[in-house]
Amino acid sequence: MNTLVFDIETIPDLETGRRIHGLEGLSDDEVAQAMASLRVQAKGHDFQPAHLHRIVAISVVLRTADELKVLSLGEENSSEAELIRKFFDGLDRYKPTLVSWNGGGFDLPVLHYRALRHGVTAKTYWDTSGEAKWNSYIGRYQFRHTDLMDVLALYQARNNAPLDEIAQLLGFPGKLGMDGSKVFEAWRAGKLAEIRAYCETDVLNTWLIYLRFQLMRGQLSAETHQSEVQRVRQFLAGSQVPHWAEFSAAWK
């Protein structure tokens, strides 16, 4: 069975925010400030609702029978529509188990709205016929999409934990150098490569947590679990990319 761990990075959707809030004539910076202020007034924080996010990076860990890949979809200059299309095309091709951290609470709803926005077809993802009726990607209490944060909290929001802290609880590096609150600032500074690198480290942390989860569930033996962890270490050792060197150094 193929497994695809995924994570997205987003910025406020200034174009739609401008239209919805009647902010025509304002600069992007002014629209961003206005959207943040309106959100603080409404909710006490400036984090935008799912439908007002724009995706700037999607990173994945893909584990097939033959190999382990960690990558960001598309190129730095790829459009949002292209990133989303590549994500759902991957589901059509590999039909994997999807794994995320808070994917049900954030990443997938954003992907829904943005796929809707760009007219992206996602046939496999939305399939609920045949066997998928009992194990679909959109079923919260099913495992075809395993939202680790949701499952480990036993679907109780008060028990939700941050990815960074659970990664560190298990001895993994956690977040390195950036977090989601800094993505918009980094994007405005033209640092998309850094955003993609950060997103990749998030999915690798999530993969390592998932391996431990599968060990706990009895889906992996201790020997197989150790073999999978060693495969990750080999991937890191064979890479010359700076963020993987930093990840490896932080993983004792």
Side-chain angles (χ1 to χ4, degrees):
M1 181 66 180
N2 300 322
T3 304
L4 186 75
V5 184
F6 73 100
D7 185 42
I8 69 173
E9 300 303 332
T10 68
I11 61 173
D13 178 4
L14 302 181
E15 177 186 354
T16 304
R18 181 181 280 111
R19 187 182 310 123
I20 288 175
H21 296 303
L23 302 173
E24 290 80 2
L26 298 185
S27 69
D28 282 353
D29 283 348
E30 290 170 330
V31 171
Q33 292 172 9
M35 289 175 66
S37 295
L38 289 167
R39 189 64 171 166
V40 169
Q41 292 173 22
K43 297 294 183 179
H45 58 78
D46 64 1
F47 192 74
Q48 297 298 315
H51 67 282
L52 289 180
H53 282 260
R54 174 185 156 199
I55 297 169
V56 296
I58 304 176
S59 297
V60 301
V61 171
L62 175 62
R63 179 69 170 102
T64 64
D66 302 320
E67 60 184 345
L68 174 76
K69 292 183 178 180
V70 188
L71 69 153
S72 291
L73 302 184
E75 307 296 333
E76 288 185 38
N77 61 355
S78 295
S79 68
E80 180 186 40
E82 184 177 354
L83 298 180
I84 296 168
R85 192 171 293 111
K86 284 181 177 296
F87 176 78
F88 286 115
D89 284 351
L91 267 62
D92 290 339
R93 178 180 177 184
Y94 293 102
K95 296 179 172 53
T97 294
L98 272 182
V99 178
S100 70
W101 194 273
N102 196 32
F106 179 71
D107 303 66
L108 288 176
V110 173
L111 280 161
H112 296 172
Y113 288 123
R114 302 313 287 181
L116 196 67
R117 162 71 176 79
H118 295 293
V120 175
T121 299
K123 185 175 181 180
T124 298
Y125 175 78
W126 288 106
D127 182 24
T128 56
S129 63
E131 292 183 6
K133 179 178 182 180
W134 310 109
N135 193 25
S136 72
Y137 286 120
I138 59 176
R140 185 182 188 189
Y141 304 110
Q142 299 165 5
F143 280 90
R144 198 173 188 192
H145 167 229
T146 303
D147 181 339
L148 285 168
M149 187 184 82
D150 200 27
V151 172
L152 290 169
L154 203 58
Y155 312 105
Q156 300 294 318
R158 66 178 180 272
N159 295 324
N160 286 348
L163 171 64
D164 179 51
E165 294 184 12
I166 299 305
Q168 292 190 60
L169 172 70
L170 302 184
F172 306 135
K175 294 183 181 292
L176 301 171
M178 189 182 291
D179 61 50
S181 67
K182 299 177 182 177
V183 168
F184 188 32
E185 178 184 350
W187 180 82
R188 291 202 285 187
K191 297 179 179 179
L192 188 54
E194 293 183 21
I195 294 170
R196 286 159 65 93
Y198 157 65
C199 196
E200 289 174 13
T201 62
D202 264 7
V203 291
L204 193 56
N205 275 300
T206 305
W207 171 242
L208 290 167
I209 295 170
Y210 181 68
L211 292 176
R212 189 73 66 86
F213 174 66
Q214 291 293 78
L215 175 67
M216 179 175 70
R217 291 181 66 210
Q219 299 300 301
L220 292 179
S221 67
E223 293 77 14
T224 303
H225 173 264
Q226 186 56 41
S227 175
E228 290 295 328
V229 171
Q230 185 59 31
R231 184 183 292 267
V232 175
R233 289 195 181 274
Q234 290 171 351
F235 160 76
L236 294 171
S239 174
Q240 303 300 314
V241 179
H243 64 278
W244 291 135
E246 183 182 8
F247 193 98
S248 183
W251 183 12
K252 306 302 183 182

